[in-house]
Structure formats: C-alpha cells, structure tokens
Amino acid sequence: MIDLSTLNENQREAVLWDNGPLLVLAGPGSGKTRVLTARIARILEESAGKHFRILALTFTNKAAAEMRGRVEKLVPGEFARVRLTTFHSYAAELLQQHGNHLDFRPDFQILSNDADREALLDDVLGQLKKDLTYSFPDHFKAGQLLPAVTRLLEQCVPVDEAEVLLQKANVDNAIPLSRVYTAYRKALRRTNFLDFPSLIAESLDLLGKYPFLVKHIRKVFKHILVDEFQDTNYSQYRILSHITQPDPSTLFVVADDDQIIYQWNGASPKRIQALRDDFGVSELQLPENYRCPPLVIELANALIEKNLNRSAGKKPLKAVRQGESGDIVRVFRFNSADEEAGWIAQDISQRSSEECKDCAVLARTKKLLDLAGRKLEEAGIPVYYAARKNEFKSAPLRMLHAILRLVNSTEDKQSLARLSKAFYELEGISIELSPVLSRASADGKDLLRSWLGEVKRREILEEKTRQLLETGIKPLLNSLNYQDFADKLLKWAEACQQASRPDESAFNEFEEEREVWNMLLTEITKKFEGEGIGLHQLLHELDLSSKTPPKPPEAIPCFTIHASKGMEFGHVYLMGLVEDQLPSWAAVKKGDKSLEMQEERRNCFVAITRAQKSLTLTFSTQVFGWSKQPSRFLDEMGIERI
C-alpha cells in the first residue's frame, strides 16, 4: 500500500481525486512531482491485474526520467503499464505506429538540426525553380525561408490553407512562400524525414483525419496526465484535445499560470482558460512551498501579485519552512556589469567547497551569463552551461551514430558523408563518396555495405579496425543488434585514443559523450520497459534527446532563467536586475500592463523561487557601456534600493 501520510491535505486530495477532469494549480516548490508520481502509483496499485495503460506527458526528458524513477520505487514491477514521455516523443511514437496513413514509414529519420533542414529545403527550392510555370523571387534562399516554414509548421497550417492564410496576413510573396511550404512538407514525406515541428503537425493531421485512431488511443490509455501544462502551445493543446475526447473524465493536469515564460514558443495564459472552457475541469490549488525560505516567498508573492489576469482566487504561496537566520536575501549595486560579474565570482569562491557546489548564477540573457562564466573561470571555478546539444561532437560517437542511421536508412547520403568524415579524423583514410555511390548503384547494395567494401580494400587499414568493420559489425548488419556493435565500436575507439591519431581533436568530448550515450541508452531502455526497442525507435529517441553531458560535480551552473525552470539550487545569484535586461527592452517598450511585461515579471518570479537557502540579487548602473536604471521588479518586491 502506497504511504500517503507524508502528503499535505491538498496533495493527498489531488492524488486520490476521482471526480472528473482536474486542474491542479501548483506553485513552485509545492511538490507537484510527488503528487503526479503518487497519483500514477495509486492508479497502478488499485488496478493491479488490469490491462489499461497510463499516458503521462511532460516537456523534458529529464523530468520524464525523474518521474519514471519515482514511480518504479513506489510500485516496483508495474511501470510497464505507464508511458511517461514528452509531447514530441509521443508524437514520434504515434507516427511510428500509424504514420503509414500519411505515407511515412516507421523508420523515418528525424532532422534534429537546422543544417539538415536547410539542406532539404535547398533541394526543394532547386526543384521548384526548375518548374518554369512559376517564378520565385531571387532572394528566396533556404536559410532565409526556414524560419517562415517553421512558423507555419508550428501553427500546423494545412497545406491547402497556407496560401489564403498568408495572403490574409499580408505576408510578402505569400503565393510563392505557400508553394515552398507545401513542397517542403511533401518532401518530408517523400524522403521519410521529419523535423521537430512537423512531428507535432503530422501527428495532429493524423489524429484529425483518422478518428478510429483516437478511439484506439482512448481504449489503451484510460488515464492521461500532463505536467507543466502552462508550457503547451496551441498545437500540443489540440493533440491533447483529440486524445482525451469524447470522455475527458480521467484527465489530470498540473499547471501554474505564474510560471508561463515561453510565450515566444507558443505558450499562453489563454491555454489554461481554454482548458476550463473545453473540459469543465475542477480546480485544486497547491500553494504550500517546501523549497524556499520564508523571506524569498514574501518577495515572490509581492512581485507576482502585480500581474493582471492571474487565475481567479489564486492563493499566495505559503512558506512551509521555518524562518532562517543570516543573510537569506542580499542585494548589491555595482558600477558596471564587469564589476558585478567579478564580485559574484569572488563571493562564490569564498564559500566552503560544499556551499560552492550548491550555487548557481542566473540571468535573463546569455551575454551576461558568458561574462559571469569568464569571471568564474578566471577565479579557478569550473562552469557549466545548459546549452542544448543536438548532435554528438566527438568522432567516435559521430561515426557510431552515422552507422546506425545508415543501417536504418540505407540510402542516407548525409549520414554516409558524416561517416566518411569521422572515419578520416580517426584513421586518416579518406573514402571518396562517388566510388561508394557508384558501387552501391552497380551492385544493388546499400550505402553502408558499399562503404565497408571500399574501406576493406585499403591495405593500410589497421588490424583492429579491420576486425571491427569485418566481424564486429556483423551483429548489427545481420540482426540489428545495435548495443553489441556500439560496445565494440566504443572499445575500439578507446584503443585508438591511446595511439597517435591523424587528428587529435577527434577525441574532444569523447569521454563525456560516451557517458551521455550510456545514460541515454539506460533511460530509453527504462522508458520502454518490457518492450523490444527497434533500431528506428532508438534513433528517434536519440534524435529527440539533448547530447549535453551532465553537470560535473564541481562546476557552477550558469543558466538563463528559461533553462533553470524546473530546477532548484541552494544559493541563487540573480544578476542583471536592470531595466532593458529584466524586464527586457521589448517589455519596457510595450509598457507596464503589456503581456510582455507580465511575462518578464513571471521570469523574475521563476528565478527567485529556484532558491533553497539564499538569494543574492545584483544590478549595475552601466551594462555593456549603457547606463541602466535598477529593475522595477526590485521596488515591486519591496526591496529598498542600495
């Protein structure tokens, strides 16, 4: 029996709720993850022996992995009945299983970086310009058009509506742009490629055109839960609407309208109101905060209450922790951003080693963080940035990834080029692509086997490399045993690292990326527990996952506020609290009652509520040579300026 005695009254009510769709308004540090995982565990425990499943959707692989671990501890052996995943990963799964209705094969490849997307769009433009029936502006280039195509995809605009929509919006060159958009989507299907925005767009198209799939989904997934609902954009909301109808009674949504900070990505306060209107949800609040000191909670409440259009009856945060003594909140003013960043680095360096590990520097902009990071490094303190990394950088991992992609997609010329480049960096052997392509065409072989044939002809091939490519790769080619081959390739790469290589930089980040590979493999295996993970499924999960290595224990996180969301740190340094930084220049220009200013206020609210032990707020009279006024948010929090 799951022990709910450690939950407070509101948390327990949410876990046990069984009276229709529910919206839980959960403030920062309110234990929402405990509530979500305890609810999933409770449903699993009470339905032991039944075959329905639970679908839980969130926004990051990290959050999903954390919840998987918690559920497994609460109800060991039952996790196979849960699909706990991100919106994009769920969309990929839908298209793996049912994409054939839209002419996608299950082994589609996900284009995870803009360079690949631009290459495809460039091919599309080349084909369109050959059609003399239409004329295209000379300035139409892939790099310039990709943002517009992306916006149309993110809005899930049907191809037959694009031209009218663009004309109504008075977009320049609406007709040729709509043709480019239509041709790009057709090219994705023809080449069996998808990118991040088209995963959602095509999934929505699938659910809209084939209602029987929705019935099947609702039959399988009796309970649907959504974490961080406030971050959903319109397209994700439409997917949720499809898969919860016609009976949304078991829908369970956790959100906080005070933490909507992704309006630039389509999130909107309107989404929570739409949930109320469309689903008739009951509401429950979790105002108790278990994370922050009481003084930080006072500042947060004073700040966020200035926002308009918050949920009616929204309760202020309630600090559960007792008041602490000491410098819980500090505020410092400096003459320049350089002086500000230098002081932060010095202050952190003077802390004990244990306290130092528990520090984080947050800022609204990356430029300020880069300055703080340089000062920390000058003080001998390692720094960790949270930049997303879509592709592996080291030659061994690039070689492995390219080989797996070529096995999955036998005519993938881009992966062939990447394989040859990585192999040259590791072995100094140049394999020209044209003989490989000719050999594949003449012999009727796939590109990887033709490439292997070209490599094996080289007499200078080292014995351990020949063994890897002649015998070590056989389990992959014969039975798609990617794990066995990956182990052999990484051991081969480790042996290569010990010898002098043609390009020593080939092993940059190798150790970190090998750790990331093993970590991702473990997480993917756990996610699909009890199921066989095919090669194409593995590749989809890899392409949807960041390859950023975990934070080294001694490194200080330097995160933008957006990157820090969902995290907590012992000692938070929030720098750059000046007008035109936090709040941003755009928000200041729009005015105090604008949607932009309200989002900036939420940004500040999110930043200060990351603090578990202390909060240090800093600002400067000059930032990068420009005179600045202290942020209005300092006054709104009730802090007297120094």
Side-chain angles (χ1 to χ4, degrees):
M1 178 71 72
I2 299 170
D3 181 13
L4 303 181
S5 62
T6 58
L7 303 180
N8 65 41
E9 183 179 347
N10 292 324
Q11 291 172 333
R12 195 157 44 248
E13 184 177 358
V15 170
L16 297 173
W17 182 267
D18 195 23
N19 192 26
L22 182 67
L23 165 62
V24 180
L25 290 174
S30 61
K32 69 176 181 62
T33 303
R34 289 186 68 197
V35 167
L36 278 164
T37 52
R39 180 172 177 81
I40 292 170
R42 192 268 296 177
I43 295 170
L44 290 172
E45 187 177 70
E46 292 181 356
S47 63
K50 295 186 179 180
H51 298 291
F52 71 79
R53 303 187 70 194
I54 298 170
L55 176 63
L57 297 170
T58 186
F59 281 86
T60 67
N61 288 309
K62 180 182 177 182
E66 180 186 351
M67 284 195 277
R68 281 185 217 116
R70 292 196 188 193
V71 172
E72 180 64 22
K73 285 183 179 179
L74 290 171
V75 279
E78 288 289 327
F79 187 74
R81 292 175 55 205
V82 182
R83 177 65 86 239
L84 215 167
T85 189
T86 65
F87 270 93
H88 280 91
S89 184
Y90 179 65
E93 192 173 341
L94 277 178
L95 292 168
Q96 286 167 17
Q97 296 172 354
H98 308 292
N100 60 300
H101 295 291
L102 302 178
D103 298 325
F104 286 106
R105 300 190 307 276
D107 60 351
F108 58 80
Q109 183 175 323
I110 298 173
L111 305 179
S112 58
N113 63 65
D114 283 349
D116 289 341
R117 299 178 68 215
E118 281 187 25
L120 179 62
L121 187 53
D122 200 42
D123 289 342
V124 166
L125 287 171
Q127 292 299 317
L128 287 173
K129 288 176 180 179
K130 290 178 181 178
D131 186 350
L132 300 180
T133 309
Y134 305 108
S135 61
F136 284 87
D138 292 335
H139 67 273
F140 265 33
K141 306 293 182 185
Q144 296 167 320
L145 291 175
L146 188 60
V149 171
T150 298
R151 282 193 296 274
L152 290 167
L153 279 169
E154 288 175 342
Q155 295 166 10
C156 298
V157 175
V159 293
D160 56 354
E161 297 177 16
E163 182 176 320
V164 172
L165 184 147
L166 290 169
Q167 287 179 321
K168 284 184 177 179
N170 295 317
V171 174
D172 291 339
N173 299 303
I175 294 176
L177 180 56
S178 69
R179 291 189 177 125
V180 171
Y181 172 66
T182 299
Y184 181 76
R185 290 196 67 169
K186 288 180 178 178
L188 287 171
R189 295 189 183 189
R190 185 181 68 253
T191 56
N192 208 36
F193 287 160
L194 284 157
D195 53 19
F196 279 19
S198 64
L199 279 169
I200 301 296
E202 297 293 357
S203 295
L204 191 57
D205 196 20
L206 183 70
L207 295 172
K209 288 180 177 177
Y210 301 96
F212 74 89
L213 292 178
V214 176
K215 292 182 180 179
H216 172 71
I217 291 167
R218 292 299 286 138
K219 185 177 180 180
V220 173
F221 294 108
K222 294 291 186 183
H223 291 264
I224 296 177
L225 299 86
V226 184
D227 184 24
E228 303 284 7
F229 174 81
Q230 75 276 354
D231 293 338
T232 53
N233 59 30
Y234 179 60
S235 301
Q236 291 160 339
Y237 180 76
R238 287 174 64 193
I239 285 181
L240 183 65
S241 298
H242 273 295
I243 64 177
T244 52
Q245 299 296 356
D247 177 18
S249 60
T250 59
L251 177 63
F252 185 90
V253 170
V254 178
D256 185 10
D257 54 350
D258 291 332
Q259 296 190 73
I260 302 172
I261 62 172
Y262 293 108
Q263 284 186 182
W264 51 271
N265 202 31
S268 168
K270 295 178 181 178
R271 210 78 64 231
I272 293 178
Q273 189 55 50
L275 185 77
R276 296 181 176 114
D277 296 340
D278 296 343
F279 294 93
V281 291
S282 299
E283 294 187 36
L284 184 66
Q285 294 192 43
L286 301 181
E288 298 86 359
N289 178 285
Y290 291 86
R291 175 190 300 155
C292 305
L295 183 53
V296 173
I297 295 301
E298 286 182 30
L299 301 181
N301 284 331
L303 175 69
I304 204 64
E305 70 180 11
K306 306 296 191 300
N307 261 6
L308 308 172
N309 303 320
R310 297 173 70 211
S311 292
K314 185 75 179 287
K315 297 177 182 178
L317 295 177
K318 178 182 177 182
V320 175
R321 293 170 53 181
Q322 298 299 313
E324 292 93 346
S325 59
D327 293 330
I328 303 302
V329 176
R330 303 181 296 169
V331 186
F332 295 99
R333 174 178 181 167
F334 300 93
N335 294 321
S336 69
D338 192 76
E339 181 184 330
E340 179 181 359
W343 179 87
I344 290 172
Q346 182 183 26
D347 194 66
I348 291 174
S349 69
Q350 291 174 349
R351 291 183 179 272
S352 68
S353 58
E354 287 304 311
E355 278 193 329
C356 193
K357 292 178 185 177
D358 214 9
C359 293
V361 181
L362 307 183
R364 180 65 176 82
T365 65
K366 186 177 181 299
K367 191 173 181 180
L368 275 175
L369 285 177
D370 288 341
L371 177 60
R374 288 197 299 272
K375 296 295 184 181
L376 284 164
E377 289 172 343
E378 288 171 7
I381 301 172
V383 175
Y384 178 77
Y385 299 102
R388 181 180 175 88
K389 184 177 171 184
N390 286 325
E391 297 285 352
F392 291 115
K393 301 295 184 184
S394 66
L397 272 298
R398 283 189 282 120
M399 180 175 171
L400 171 60
H401 204 181
I403 288 174
L404 295 181
R405 282 173 166 165
L406 278 166
V407 172
N408 182 66
S409 182
T410 59
E411 298 179 2
D412 183 358
K413 295 178 183 177
Q414 289 178 329
S415 291
L416 176 66
R418 288 173 176 151
L419 169 58
S420 291
K421 184 176 186 298
F423 187 69
Y424 175 75
E425 292 171 22
L426 290 165
E427 287 294 303
I429 299 175
S430 178
I431 304 297
E432 298 294 330
L433 298 188
S434 54
V436 176
L437 296 172
S438 299
R439 183 182 181 127
S441 177
D443 298 346
K445 292 182 178 180
D446 59 56
L447 294 181
L448 177 58
R449 292 179 191 272
S450 296
W451 182 85
L452 288 170
E454 287 294 318
V455 174
K456 291 172 189 176
R457 292 184 179 196
R458 305 304 173 94
E459 295 181 358
I460 59 172
L461 201 62
E462 292 185 7
E463 182 55 34
K464 60 178 178 292
T465 305
R466 188 177 297 278
Q467 186 174 359
L468 173 73
L469 298 180
E470 288 185 352
T471 60
I473 201 170
K474 285 183 179 179
L476 177 63
L477 297 175
N478 296 337
S479 61
L480 302 185
N481 187 339
Y482 52 81
Q483 190 160 357
D484 180 73
F485 173 68
D487 291 342
K488 290 176 180 176
L489 187 145
L490 294 176
K491 287 179 182 177
W492 165 80
E494 186 177 6
C496 291
Q497 191 177 17
Q498 307 305 317
S500 177
R501 314 311 298 170
D503 185 353
E504 294 298 337
S505 65
F507 290 94
N508 288 350
E509 302 183 47
F510 172 54
E511 298 298 334
E512 296 90 340
E513 291 191 337
R514 181 166 57 176
E515 182 181 352
V516 170
W517 165 267
N518 290 327
M519 179 184 69
L520 290 176
L521 204 58
T522 299
E523 288 179 1
I524 294 167
T525 302
K526 188 64 182 176
K527 177 178 178 178
F528 296 97
E529 185 172 343
E531 304 175 34
I533 306 171
L535 177 58
H536 60 268
Q537 197 165 37
L538 171 78
L539 289 169
H540 293 163
E541 293 297 321
L542 286 175
D543 287 334
L544 290 168
S545 300
S546 174
K547 316 305 184 298
T548 305
K551 184 184 83 67
E554 307 296 327
I556 301 297
C558 286
F559 290 171
T560 63
I561 295 171
H562 290 95
S564 74
K565 190 167 174 290
M567 300 181 183
E568 56 188 22
F569 312 96
H571 306 283
V572 169
Y573 292 76
L574 176 59
M575 67 182 300
L577 271 161
V578 294
E579 297 287 292
D580 297 338
Q581 285 281 338
L582 185 61
S584 68
W585 176 84
V588 171
K589 185 178 180 181
K590 289 292 182 68
D592 199 57
K593 294 183 179 180
S594 66
L595 293 175
E596 289 80 3
M597 185 62 72
Q598 293 183 66
E599 180 167 26
E600 289 299 292
R601 195 171 283 114
R602 291 192 293 267
N603 267 303
C604 190
F605 174 83
V606 166
I608 65 176
T609 54
R610 301 308 95 196
Q612 297 172 297
K613 299 175 184 176
S614 75
L615 174 65
T616 302
L617 306 173
T618 63
F619 62 97
S620 304
T621 55
Q622 279 207 344
V623 178
F624 303 122
W626 296 90
S627 296
K628 298 294 180 183
Q629 292 297 315
S631 170
R632 69 191 68 195
F633 299 153
L634 290 166
D635 277 343
E636 292 180 0
M637 286 187 278
I639 294 174
E640 293 185 6
R641 295 180 186 169
I642 297 175

